[in-house]
Amino acid sequence: YVGCRPGELCALRSEDLDLERGEVTIRFSMDAHGNEKRPKNGKARVVMVPPPAVDALRALPVRRDSPHVFHSPTGKRLSKGSLSYLWRPIRAAWVEAGGAPLDLYGLRHACATLLIHRGLPAHVVAQQLGHTDGGRLVMALYGHPEERISRDLIRMAFAETTTREARTA
């Protein structure tokens, strides 16, 4: 549900984590040569991190020799290539379990779809992803949740209204 680009994960620093608030500030990204640069739109952004991911981040060993959050199994700073390599067995297990093949960047698209399915408006999803277009791209690519999910969202909206009306009656 965080929606970071792979390069943003590789450049994430410990100082960018605010686990008490469940937030991460995305200030940098890693380019194809392993150099840090500003995120794609040139602006830092604060994204929400769901509780299970906060728990996983808290469980990571603290590294005093590196400012970065993620490292390879050999202890080196994570690169886009090593991240892709580490993703392979997860992807294979997912496919074996019946899922469609999903590359790392596809996780970003999955994040957007899941947030839309949770009923979040396109402009909120766009902010989480780091888009600056007010949600136009999100609506064009992900803004059409499954019909079943749309019906469930409508049911929930009426259930809340019905519950409130019953309490005030």
Side-chain angles (χ1 to χ4, degrees):
Y1 293 107
V2 178
C4 292
R5 295 172 179 93
E8 293 170 345
L9 287 176
C10 294
L12 191 62
R13 297 177 183 193
S14 298
E15 67 192 55
D16 297 330
L17 303 177
D18 184 346
L19 300 181
E20 294 306 313
R21 293 182 55 91
E23 296 177 351
V24 172
T25 302
I26 306 299
R27 295 184 305 128
F28 299 102
S29 185
M30 182 182 287
D31 68 18
H33 304 289
N35 301 313
E36 284 189 357
K37 62 179 185 170
R38 296 307 242 168
K40 187 172 181 179
N41 65 11
K43 299 177 183 176
R45 73 182 187 281
V46 177
V47 298
M48 299 304 301
V49 181
V54 168
D55 293 343
L57 288 167
R58 280 193 172 115
L60 286 175
V62 176
R63 299 281 308 252
R64 303 216 187 280
D65 61 336
S66 171
H68 297 98
V69 174
F70 301 111
H71 299 85
S72 73
T74 61
K76 295 181 181 177
R77 178 181 173 196
L78 199 61
S79 68
K80 289 165 83 173
S82 60
L83 180 59
S84 181
Y85 177 79
L86 293 169
W87 175 248
R88 285 184 194 167
I90 299 166
R91 179 180 186 227
W94 172 254
V95 170
E96 188 174 316
L102 188 62
D103 64 12
L104 275 171
Y105 207 85
L107 291 176
R108 192 171 149 74
H109 294 278
C111 170
T113 300
L114 290 168
L115 293 175
I116 289 288
H117 284 185
R118 285 186 167 262
L120 295 173
H123 72 277
V124 172
V125 176
Q127 185 176 0
Q128 182 81 351
L129 297 176
H131 295 175
T132 57
D133 63 359
R136 284 188 298 278
L137 183 61
V138 169
M139 284 304 296
L141 295 178
Y142 321 105
H144 311 288
E146 295 177 20
E147 287 183 36
R148 178 188 57 78
I149 292 171
S150 294
R151 288 191 302 272
D152 289 346
L153 291 171
I154 293 169
R155 277 188 199 97
M156 288 185 329
F158 280 103
E160 292 171 8
T161 302
T162 306
T163 303
R164 267 195 313 267
E165 289 170 354
R167 276 185 272 159
T168 58

